[in-house]
C-alpha cells in the first residue's frame, strides 16, 4: 500500500513524478493546486475563495485546504493508497495530515523531497507557462515556499519519514530513484 507525500519547491517535478508513480500503482494522484484550478474554472464557492490568493502566489487559507483533503482522502478511490502533490504546504497542514493518517486512521505514509537548485526551478517554471508562472509571481511563490513550506521538511525529518531525492536529473532517473524508495 502506497501513501506518499511529494515535497519540494514549485517546479521541482512533483506533479510529473507523482503522476507516473500514481499510474504505476493505480492510486489517485491528488494535486491540491489542480483541484483549486478546476474549482476556479467551474466557478465553485471554493474557486471563488481561492482565486485571489492563487493569482498573487500566496497560499490559500488552511481551513479550505484541510476540509478539501479530509474529504478527498475519504473518497472510495483513495482507500488503497494515494499520492499528495502540493499538500502539505505549511506546518499546520503537515500536523493535520499526520494526525489524521497516523493517529486517527492508524496508517503510515512516506514523504519524498525533490531537491532542485533555484536557477533550474525558475527556468522550468518560465517554460511551463501557467497563468501564475510569470516572473513576479514565481518570485513570490518561491518566497512563500522558503518561508512557509520549507519548515515542513524539518517536520518530516523529525518524524523520521523524509526521503531526499536529487530532482535535478533526467525525469526517468528521478522516477527510478523514487521507485527504489517506495517499492
Ligand atoms: P501548485 O499547483 O501546487 O503549484 O499550486 C498552485 C497554487 O495553489 C499555489 O500557489 C497556492 O496558491 C494554491 N495551493 C495549492 N496547494 C495549496 C495548499 N496545500 N495550501 C495552500 N495553497 C495551496
Amino acid at each position: 500500500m502506497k501513501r506518499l507525500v511529494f515535497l519540494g519547491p514549485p517546479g521541482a517535478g512533483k506533479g510529473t513524478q507523482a503522476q507516473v508513480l500514481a499510474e504505476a500503482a493505480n492510486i489517485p494522484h491528488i494535486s491540491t493546486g489542480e483541484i483549486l484550478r478546476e474549482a476556479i474554472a467551474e466557478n465553485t464557492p471554493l474557486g471563488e475563495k481561492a482565486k485571489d490568493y492563487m493569482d498573487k502566489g500566496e497560499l490559500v487559507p488552511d481551513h479550505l485546504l484541510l476540509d478539501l483533503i479530509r474529504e478527498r482522502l475519504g473518497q472510495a478511490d483513495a482507500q488503497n493508497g494515494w499520492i499528495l502533490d502540493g499538500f502539505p504546504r505549511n506546518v499546520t497542514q503537515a500536523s493535520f495530515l499526520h494526525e489524521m493518517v497516523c493517529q486517527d486512521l492508524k496508517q503510515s505514509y512516506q514523504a519524498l523531497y525533490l531537491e532542485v537548485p533555484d536557477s533550474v526551478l525558475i527556468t522550468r517554471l518560465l517554460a511551463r507557462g501557467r497563468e501564475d508562472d510569470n516572473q513576479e509571481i514565481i518570485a513570490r511563490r518561491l518566497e512563500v515556499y522558503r518561508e512557509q513550506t520549507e519548515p515542513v521538511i524539518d517536520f518530516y525529518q523529525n518524524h523520521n519519514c523524509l526521503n531526499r531525492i536529487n530532482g535535478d536529473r533526467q525525469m526517468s532517473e528521478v522516477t527510478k530513484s523514487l521507485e527504489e524508495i517506495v517499492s
Side-chain angles (χ1 to χ4, degrees), residues 1-5 30 69-70 72-74 78-79 81-84 87-88 93-111 155-156 159 161:
M1 168 98 50
K2 286 189 178 68
R3 293 187 202 87
L4 307 170
V5 164
I30 301 172
I69 283 294
R70 192 189 292 109
R72 184 65 188 86
L73 295 187
Q79 300 320 300
W82 37 256
I83 302 184
L84 287 182
F87 186 100
Q93 295 181 6
S95 304
F96 166 87
L97 180 71
H98 202 73
E99 198 174 303
M100 182 171 89
V101 176
C102 301
Q103 288 176 27
D104 299 349
L105 301 172
K106 312 270 181 251
Q107 296 169 340
S108 63
Y109 68 111
Q110 278 181 294
F155 177 94
Y156 285 115
H159 287 85
C161 53

Side-chain angles (χ1 to χ4, degrees), residues 19-50:
Q19 195 170 346
V20 174
L21 263 60
E23 262 171 40
N26 200 21
I27 51 177
H29 163 210
I30 301 172
S31 155
T32 46
E34 203 52 55
I35 294 171
L36 293 170
R37 280 188 289 280
E38 273 168 24
I40 291 173
E42 290 166 10
N43 281 316
T44 68
L46 172 66
E48 256 164 52
K49 288 178 199 139

Side-chain angles (χ1 to χ4, degrees), residues 9-13 114-128 138 142 146 166-171 174:
L114 294 180
E115 294 184 286
V116 176
D118 269 9
S119 54
V120 177
L121 295 176
I122 292 166
T123 312
R124 283 188 190 177
L125 289 170
L126 286 173
R128 192 165 72 174
I138 288 174
L142 287 173
R146 300 277 171 246
N166 173 7
D168 186 17
R169 291 178 294 164
Q170 290 276 329
M171 188 197 136
V174 178

Side-chain angles (χ1 to χ4, degrees), residues 158-169:
N158 294 337
H159 287 85
N160 294 319
C161 53
L162 186 73
N163 298 280
R164 290 173 189 269
I165 297 101
N166 173 7
D168 186 17
R169 291 178 294 164

Side-chain angles (χ1 to χ4, degrees), residues 32-33 36-37 53-54 57-60 65 86-87 89 93 130 132 141:
T32 46
L36 293 170
R37 280 188 289 280
Y53 296 97
M54 291 176 75
E58 303 293 335
L59 295 187
V60 174
L65 269 298
F87 186 100
R89 268 307 217 281
Q93 295 181 6
R130 215 169 68 192
D132 56 350
R141 278 165 51 218

